[in-house]
Amino acid sequence: MTINAAASQQKHPGGKPALELVCPAGTPAALRDAVDAGAHAVYCGFRDETNARNFPGLNFSRAELEDGIAYAHARGAKVLVAINTFAQAGREDLWQRAVDDAVAAGADALILADLGVLAYAAEAHPAQRLHLSVQASASTPEAINFLIERYGIKRVVLPRVLTLPEIADLNREIACETEVFVFGGLCVMAEGRCLLSSYATGKSPNMNGVCSPPSHVAYREEADGALVSRLGDFTINRFAPGEKAGYPTLCKGRFEVAGRPFYVFEEPTSLNAASLLRELVNAGVTALKIEGRQRSRAYVRKVVSDFRRAVDALGTGGEPAAAATDALSDLSEGSRQTEGVYRKTWR
Amino acid sequence: MPARKRMRIASGPVLFNWAPEQWRDFHFRLADVEDVDIVHVGEVVCAKRHPFFEPYMAEVIERLFASGKQVVLSALALAMNRNERSLIDSITAMAGEASASEETADEGGEGEGALIIEANDLTALARLAGRRFVIGPFVNTYNALTVKELAHLGAVRICLPPELGRQALSALVPAMTDIGVEAEVFAFGRMPLALSARCYHARSHGLPKDGCRYVCGEDPDGLPLKTLDEEPFLAVNGIQTLSYACLNLLGEIPLLKDMGVSVLRLSPHATCDMAEVAAIFRAVADENMAVAEGLARLEALKLPFPFANGYFHGQPGAAWLKPDPA
């Protein structure tokens, strides 16, 4: 038995895990932390506009990606490379090169969103495993099966707007694996089709890989001690003295509609579906995605190891440790967590 | 250089939940507006609204055909449940006749008497692949790779996302001409910015989505959303979020024309004389009216929302850079 196979066996006792844990790696150090903490797979991106977490100080050079893949593979973990923004007109070659380089580096899968980039990858690298990014906004069997037929995608990352019964239905009707978000930031809009951030800042998630970018955030303290958070030229929230203030992500802001100030789109909650793992397995889900390539190494270590314990408990027929759920509640962005739409609380 | 075709003017699909008779009469009036060449018909935002318009659909389409318009049937922008999927199915099923009866995508009088379908999500695209169709602004078309792929699947015209600026358009539109796909640009109206599984109209009224009582019908141009500083910012329209400001690319028409844009899309609003808006855009596109005069006439309409053109100039989409009078 080779070292790799031994490591792999050690990581997945009894073979395939009940759920594959796909973890964020914003930096090479975070990649190593995530792998060490028990990630079955990590996802990362190049240090440019080809990925949807294009923040200063994050992401990978070509050489770093190769090193990261070697590190992960030696420990039985996979590396998925996210090239999940939409290629900019006139600069398409940057996206094509990202595809070529990720394939050359030995990526286990590419996570793509742009139909043009998908078509390129499928044609230029027919043997490469492709995943459909959540940014592609494919939410029906018709759309997903079409993309499977046309580009050979093997897995689809589902929008964070589907309920558990909808996910179960979908899995019965599609011919590929599904991956769902279980922890971290929660997009309330159809992913990949939201221009709110660029409307306020000029910087686009789809084209520049940034949503509500820090470069356009400002805080202002008012005479009464209230803290106002702004994005571009717009006030996103106002916190009374003593109220816990949050980052001005546009869709988590407080606005006024019909004279009433409230969280019009979504409260500043973050997603935690740790209590739903059994139901996600039953719904036919293959992989769990943890959001947060922009988060700290300590965060990654904590979340990954807690979720790994929960997933292992599932695999041995036990219940996912309730302890994981409790410990994780300290880590979310706002003070509150939600199981998202999975429980159908929105409808 | 070959003589450029005349730019055509399109009316986008009505994005709002108007009273069914108002919806019908609006389209009847459009049939008589000479300045509009292409009319989009169909519910794009919420499948639950469709049954109200459905009884008038055939009548509206016939009337538009009779007056020589190209009629585009727009499909839903976001689908998840069976109701939404079957609406897309029934709309895209009508594409069969279109490909059979419509031989040429030629100048001006294109497609008289033929119905063409507009895909606004990947569900509709999947259904239409291999036939002849158009792509709406809700499908992400950002670059030539995607245009090539969509053309390969059968797209003959693509309405580009409103966030594309001058730089991107200058690269993309000529590439589209080379590929043989017409470029349409969203040029007037509140900009579609986001879609959600959640209905913000229902939420704003404290109602669940499934029991929404169709409250979106109270706001025929959308429900204004202000910042806590009382600054108007966005507009809620059911599951859709629009800009508060009204996109206005009148001043950019000469540049769009130079790039090779074929069609300008005007998005219908209730508090706005769309025939007059179309006349102004038509006159400027035909170079029968100066931009400054067109702008003055648009301003004279006293729309209840300000103009914006920031995206085009690489600025936040909400910005308004008043066109240079020269």
Side-chain angles (χ1 to χ4, degrees):
Chain A
M1 188 182 277
T2 65
I3 294 169
N4 276 4
S8 172
Q9 198 124 75
Q10 200 186 348
K11 284 279 168 189
H12 312 316
K16 210 173 158 220
L19 286 166
E20 181 184 310
L21 199 55
V22 181
C23 305
T27 61
L31 180 147
R32 294 190 294 271
D33 286 339
V35 169
D36 293 347
H40 298 122
V42 294
Y43 64 100
C44 57
F46 289 122
R47 194 171 293 138
D48 57 30
E49 289 158 307
T50 61
N51 91 87
R53 284 286 183 278
N54 177 28
F55 290 119
L58 285 192
N59 300 314
F60 288 64
S61 69
R62 266 53 177 174
E64 285 165 347
L65 180 66
E66 284 177 21
D67 291 348
I69 290 175
Y71 187 90
H73 283 180
R75 288 155 186 83
K78 294 174 195 159
V79 177
L80 320 179
V81 179
I83 305 170
N84 57 347
T85 49
F86 294 82
Q88 291 177 18
R91 300 177 64 204
E92 288 88 350
D93 59 323
L94 183 66
W95 277 257
Q96 291 171 299
R97 221 167 46 235
V99 167
D100 296 341
D101 292 348
V103 173
D108 294 282
L110 310 186
I111 309 172
L112 308 180
D114 185 326
L115 291 182
V117 176
L118 274 161
Y120 171 76
E123 197 189 330
H125 306 284
Q128 176 64 48
R129 183 179 165 96
L130 303 180
H131 291 183
L132 189 73
S133 168
V134 70
Q135 301 297 117
S137 193
S139 52
T140 64
E142 294 82 6
I144 294 166
N145 284 329
F146 169 73
L147 298 168
I148 294 169
E149 277 168 39
R150 188 138 181 96
Y151 311 115
I153 59 161
K154 297 287 190 288
R155 180 184 294 177
V156 55
V157 185
L158 295 180
R160 279 164 272 199
V161 295
L162 292 167
T163 63
L164 272 167
E166 283 168 350
I167 291 170
D169 283 348
L170 193 65
N171 270 319
R172 277 191 284 274
E173 293 184 69
I174 63 172
C176 76
E177 301 170 355
T178 52
E179 177 175 314
V180 300
F181 282 90
V182 285
F183 196 81
L186 180 68
C187 268
V188 68
M189 300 302 180
E191 291 99 334
R193 303 165 89 188
C194 179
L195 314 187
L196 290 175
S197 177
S198 67
Y199 184 67
T201 70
K203 293 288 173 201
S204 152
N206 280 357
M207 291 192 287
N208 310 112
V210 289
C211 175
S212 307
S215 53
H216 289 68
V217 167
Y219 295 92
R220 180 182 79 215
E221 200 175 328
E222 306 214 308
D224 63 357
L227 186 69
V228 170
S229 64
R230 288 169 66 82
L231 183 69
D233 288 336
F234 298 98
T235 289
I236 302 301
N237 212 334
R238 177 184 285 114
F239 304 96
E243 193 181 355
K244 190 172 173 177
Y247 187 86
T249 304
L250 205 160
C251 60
K252 313 293 190 313
R254 198 153 29 181
F255 303 105
E256 196 183 294
V257 170
R260 185 167 69 97
F262 69 113
Y263 290 102
V264 176
F265 303 115
E266 174 65 304
E267 284 79 9
T269 50
S270 73
L271 175 68
N272 183 1
S275 64
L276 299 178
L277 299 191
R278 176 76 61 199
E279 284 156 283
L280 289 168
V281 173
N282 292 340
V285 167
T286 299
L288 305 178
K289 185 169 211 127
I290 294 168
E291 187 272 346
R293 281 189 279 157
Q294 72 284 20
R295 306 301 297 263
S296 70
R297 292 175 62 184
Y299 173 94
V300 169
R301 278 195 300 266
K302 174 76 183 141
V303 177
V304 173
S305 54
D306 283 1
F307 264 96
R308 178 58 193 265
R309 270 201 307 280
V311 167
D312 285 348
L314 266 182
T316 56
E319 269 312 301
T325 324
D326 298 339
L328 288 166
S329 63
D330 302 337
L331 289 168
S332 46
E333 279 172 333
S335 48
R336 292 180 48 209
Q337 292 185 331
T338 171
E339 287 156 337
V341 73
Y342 295 131
R343 289 281 195 211
K344 212 185 175 183
T345 48
W346 290 357
R347 309 292 172 83
Chain B
M1 204 159 113
R4 222 180 267 302
K5 285 189 222 166
R6 189 186 194 203
M7 258 180 154
R8 282 167 292 149
I9 305 290
S11 166
V14 173
L15 298 175
F16 307 100
N17 187 16
W18 291 357
E21 294 72 24
Q22 181 190 1
W23 184 90
R24 177 198 60 193
D25 294 345
F26 170 78
H27 290 99
F28 280 177
R29 272 198 306 277
L30 273 186
D32 301 327
V33 176
E34 269 181 39
D35 299 311
V36 172
D37 306 290
I38 303 166
V39 181
H40 294 75
V41 178
E43 178 56 42
V44 166
V45 175
C46 178
K48 288 167 68 180
R49 298 172 182 171
H50 173 77
F52 299 105
F53 304 122
E54 213 276 331
Y56 297 114
M57 199 82 102
E59 209 183 341
V60 158
I61 291 171
E62 267 170 44
R63 182 89 160 245
L64 290 165
F65 275 147
S67 61
K69 307 297 182 203
Q70 187 190 32
V71 183
V72 180
L73 206 47
S74 294
L76 205 60
L78 182 66
M80 279 162 304
N81 64 35
R82 290 199 182 278
N83 186 26
E84 291 153 358
R85 288 163 58 196
S86 67
L87 177 57
I88 290 181
D89 267 355
S90 67
I91 298 290
T92 53
M94 296 186 215
E97 303 145 48
S99 57
S101 60
E102 202 171 8
E103 303 271 296
T104 50
D106 56 5
E107 8 271 290
E110 172 197 278
E112 255 177 65
L115 203 54
I116 190 160
I117 314 298
E118 176 180 78
N120 280 309
D121 86 325
L122 301 182
T123 312
L125 177 68
R127 288 292 191 229
L128 294 167
R131 286 182 275 184
R132 196 171 170 281
F133 58 89
V134 298
I135 290 283
F138 299 94
V139 173
N140 284 333
T141 313
Y142 281 92
N143 56 71
L145 294 173
T146 306
V147 169
K148 220 173 285 173
E149 174 66 358
L150 292 171
H152 196 72
L153 292 167
V156 294
R157 181 165 65 237
I158 296 174
C159 182
L160 298 168
E163 75 170 348
L164 286 181
R166 179 178 180 175
Q167 204 182 351
L169 292 170
S170 310
L172 189 51
V173 176
M176 291 174 75
T177 308
D178 292 343
I179 294 166
V181 176
E182 287 188 327
E184 177 173 342
V185 165
F186 203 98
F188 181 88
R190 283 185 158 164
M191 292 167 265
L193 299 180
L195 300 161
S196 174
R198 176 181 278 188
C199 176
Y200 299 115
H201 245 105
R203 184 170 154 88
S204 297
H205 285 260
L207 297 168
K209 186 180 179 186
D210 290 342
C212 67
R213 296 183 208 158
Y214 302 95
V215 285
C216 54
E218 293 170 15
D219 302 292
D221 279 327
L223 174 60
L225 176 153
K226 294 179 183 173
T227 69
L228 297 180
D229 295 336
E230 301 273 306
E231 185 182 4
F233 183 21
L234 302 168
V236 167
N237 174 37
I239 66 152
Q240 181 181 48
T241 305
L242 297 155
S243 62
Y244 180 83
C246 175
L247 177 67
N248 177 1
L249 293 187
L250 190 82
E252 288 72 20
I253 286 177
L255 290 169
L256 295 170
K257 223 172 144 175
D258 275 351
M259 293 173 193
V261 169
S262 302
V263 179
L264 298 172
R265 174 176 298 212
L266 315 177
S267 190
H269 280 284
T271 54
C272 181
D273 180 352
M274 293 307 293
E276 173 68 1
V277 174
I280 296 166
F281 272 79
R282 157 66 76 211
V284 171
D286 286 354
E287 295 170 36
N288 291 331
M289 186 188 288
V291 166
E293 190 194 337
L295 208 57
R297 282 179 61 179
L298 281 178
E299 277 162 0
L301 292 175
K302 303 252 177 267
L303 300 181
F305 24 72
F307 292 134
N309 59 0
Y311 278 133
F312 186 88
H313 299 282
Q315 302 284 316
W320 172 239
L321 290 84
K322 197 161 177 171
D324 192 341

